[in-house]
Amino acid sequence: MAEVRRRKAENEVDEAAAALTAANSAADSSDHVDSEEEKIPEEKFVEELAKNLPQGTDKTPEILDSALKDLPDRWKNWVIRGIFTWIMICGFALIIYGGPLALMITTLLVQVKCFQEIISIGYQVYRIHGLPWFRSLSWYFLLTSNYFFYGEHLVDYFGVVINRVEYLKFLVTYHRFLSFALYIVGFVWFVLSLVKKYYIKQFSLFAWTHVSLLIVVTQSYLIIQNIFEGLIWFIVPVSMIVCNDVMAYVFGFFFGRTPLIKLSPKKTWEGFIGGGFATVLFGILFSYILCNYQYFICPIQYSEELGRMTMSCVPSYLFTPQEYSLKLFGIGKSLNIYPFVWHSISLSLFSSIIGPFGGFFASGFKRAFKIKDFGDMIPGHGGIMDRFDCQFLMATFVNVYISSFIRTPSPSKLLTQIYNLKPDQQYQIYQSLKDSLGDMLN
């Protein structure tokens, strides 16, 4: 009897195993389930991706490599990093000297390079699997996004002038519709490029492209908006991020003992705190100096009288010294300070406390793909994205800060909207303004 029961149990186990095997075979043959090697992200491809991507901190000019060969690796990296930091600072100063146009062109070039470095990682996946059109679609969406954002910017600042040119008026009036039409072309192109069994990968890369556009194009657009508010709104925040990065590295190098965050094992609390204090002091001093020069504080506007861009103005309240009374231990003292200096403290606190998280985000991204740097353009630093990961976050904050606490309604934007109205609507506004101004004068 026991033998019969044992055989019956064995038969039941065999039947269950057979059913499970059949179910697995059916699942493997289904078009709706990807095989193990097709899951995203694929661990088996990460190492290959890392090998094909450049590592900037490992790239050193031969002349420097031979000159510093006797130094320990730690000090060698410190010297190389320091040399190229000063080269970048001097280059930044030259670009500022070139004026707003040079800054805007540089911003666009940086945007393109950052986008290329991010997309190149996805392109390695494209090459491994032979997926069609990924790189072409990515650059097409970049052009489309730039057309939309920078077209909006031109309409805001130059709409009055553009509306007077008959063949450009169409572009102003239907700018958003044209931008949407361009995007739809790319959308249809992507759908037509889908390949069976690679749907998940292609949709992942599609999302990759759009997130890259959100990070890079949107932020560069905001940077250029900040430039038009006055060069000081661009130069001071950018310099604060540079100062914080440099001073955090210096304090961490000499005094760092306590790890700050697992994403960046080399970051320390000593560097974070020391860099923060240095950034606040630098921001106050640097802001006070720039407030003395009209070149830095005036908004960039188009002058219809001169027929060109102008940077001359009567300094606003922010850039006119105001008297403040301070009391410390019962002792009162009056100080003449530019109000912008107080705003610079807010900017410096953000750049030193929140700004580094842009770098931590980038570190997490690089760790996911086991790469040290986004590129190899800058020895000792990596790629352009490695240097601008915090700048993009700062650009958004500055733009939001200006919109919330600084900016006033722009006459040029109002005029652009009025010119887009029908003649009878324009006449109605004219009569309303005439009556209102007449009452004020009387």
Side-chain angles (χ1 to χ4, degrees):
M1 189 72 177
E3 181 68 16
V4 172
R5 288 179 180 175
R6 184 179 63 79
R7 289 179 179 177
K8 185 177 181 180
E10 288 177 352
N11 290 335
E12 289 176 351
V13 170
D14 291 340
E15 289 174 359
L20 181 61
T21 302
N24 288 337
S25 299
D28 290 338
S29 63
S30 173
D31 288 339
H32 299 286
V33 179
D34 287 337
S35 63
E36 189 65 21
E37 68 173 3
E38 291 187 15
K39 292 182 180 179
I40 297 292
E42 306 105 324
E43 288 295 330
K44 63 180 293 185
F45 296 125
V46 170
E47 295 292 341
E48 188 173 346
L49 286 174
K51 291 176 183 177
N52 295 329
L53 293 169
Q55 306 295 322
T57 46
D58 295 335
K59 182 181 178 182
T60 308
E62 188 175 341
I63 186 171
L64 268 180
D65 202 27
S66 59
L68 303 174
K69 62 182 180 181
D70 295 329
L71 285 176
D73 288 341
R74 185 168 182 257
W75 282 98
K76 180 181 177 181
N77 182 64
W78 194 87
V79 172
I80 293 171
R81 192 180 178 95
I83 290 172
F84 282 91
T85 295
W86 279 108
I87 290 174
M88 286 188 288
I89 290 173
C90 293
F92 180 58
L94 284 174
I95 293 169
I96 293 171
Y97 181 76
L101 182 60
L103 283 172
M104 286 186 279
I105 292 173
T106 302
T107 302
L108 286 172
L109 293 175
V110 167
Q111 174 216 102
V112 171
K113 183 60 180 173
C114 288
F115 184 78
Q116 182 268 326
E117 289 177 354
I118 297 174
I119 287 300
S120 64
I121 300 174
Y123 182 57
Q124 296 302 321
V125 177
Y126 155 84
R127 291 182 62 187
I128 289 171
H129 298 290
L131 302 178
W133 300 115
F134 170 70
R135 186 164 60 174
S136 300
L137 274 167
S138 297
W139 287 107
Y140 177 81
F141 281 124
L142 177 69
L143 292 173
T144 302
S145 302
N146 277 320
Y147 176 80
F148 170 72
F149 281 110
Y150 291 102
E152 292 280 305
H153 198 70
L154 289 173
V155 169
D156 283 345
Y157 283 93
F158 305 103
V160 176
V161 178
I162 296 173
N163 267 301
R164 294 176 181 174
V165 182
E166 193 59 35
Y167 65 89
L168 292 178
K169 192 172 182 179
F170 173 82
L171 297 177
V172 173
T173 305
Y174 301 105
H175 170 70
R176 293 193 177 185
F177 179 80
L178 293 172
S179 300
F180 179 73
L182 289 172
Y183 179 82
I184 287 299
V185 171
F187 181 82
V188 172
W189 183 2
F190 167 73
V191 173
L192 294 176
S193 71
L194 290 173
V195 178
K196 190 176 181 180
K197 293 187 178 181
Y198 289 101
Y199 294 152
I200 292 179
K201 289 183 178 63
Q202 288 184 283
F203 277 101
S204 298
L205 293 174
F206 184 76
W208 185 303
T209 299
H210 281 66
V211 171
S212 301
L213 292 172
L214 177 66
I215 293 172
V216 176
V217 179
T218 307
Q219 310 309 317
S220 65
Y221 165 70
L222 296 179
I223 287 174
I224 291 183
Q225 275 197 332
N226 297 342
I227 291 173
F228 271 81
E229 294 294 330
L231 293 184
I232 196 169
W233 290 105
F234 170 76
I235 296 169
V236 169
V238 167
S239 301
M240 285 175 176
I241 290 291
V242 173
C243 175
N244 183 257
D245 187 61
V246 171
M247 296 311 296
Y249 180 78
V250 171
F251 276 94
F253 185 86
F254 289 105
F255 309 109
R257 297 292 183 274
T258 313
L260 175 63
I261 187 170
K262 290 182 179 180
L263 283 173
S264 296
K266 293 182 180 180
K267 304 290 184 183
T268 63
W269 276 104
E270 291 80 3
F272 183 78
I273 295 171
F277 276 112
T279 303
V280 173
L281 293 175
F282 168 81
I284 292 172
L285 179 62
F286 192 49
S287 298
Y288 187 85
I289 293 171
L290 293 190
C291 283
N292 289 282
Y293 299 95
Q294 199 175 91
Y295 179 78
F296 298 112
I297 65 176
C298 288
I300 303 168
Q301 297 175 336
Y302 182 84
S303 172
E304 293 189 58
E305 295 179 0
L306 300 175
R308 59 178 175 81
M309 301 300 293
T310 179
M311 295 173 64
S312 60
C313 66
V314 176
S316 66
Y317 168 81
L318 283 178
F319 307 107
T320 305
Q322 306 293 325
E323 187 174 335
Y324 295 91
S325 297
L326 299 176
K327 283 189 177 182
L328 188 63
F329 302 113
I331 301 173
K333 190 173 182 180
S334 295
L335 296 174
N336 283 330
I337 300 177
Y338 295 102
F340 179 82
V341 173
W342 299 116
H343 292 289
S344 74
I345 295 175
S346 301
L347 300 179
S348 61
L349 288 173
F350 182 89
S351 66
S352 56
I353 297 173
I354 306 298
F357 280 83
F360 301 152
F361 175 84
S363 295
F365 185 89
K366 289 183 284 188
R367 276 180 168 272
F369 289 91
K370 299 183 180 179
I371 57 175
K372 192 184 297 182
D373 306 297
F374 283 101
D376 61 354
M377 187 172 181
I378 313 170
H381 292 268
I384 294 292
M385 191 64 195
D386 292 286
R387 289 300 90 218
F388 284 86
D389 46 14
C390 300
Q391 296 288 2
F392 290 131
L393 196 62
M394 188 69 185
T396 305
F397 174 72
V398 173
N399 193 271
V400 171
Y401 190 88
I402 292 172
S403 301
S404 302
F405 305 109
I406 306 298
R407 185 179 292 146
T408 56
S410 169
S412 62
K413 290 183 181 180
L414 293 175
L415 281 173
T416 300
Q417 293 173 341
I418 290 171
Y419 280 127
N420 286 329
L421 297 175
K422 296 178 180 179
D424 58 328
Q425 294 173 322
Q426 294 178 359
Y427 183 75
Q428 185 180 352
I429 291 174
Y430 167 74
Q431 288 294 339
S432 299
L433 287 173
K434 182 180 177 181
D435 295 340
S436 176
L437 292 173
D439 292 339
M440 291 175 61
L441 293 173
N442 292 333

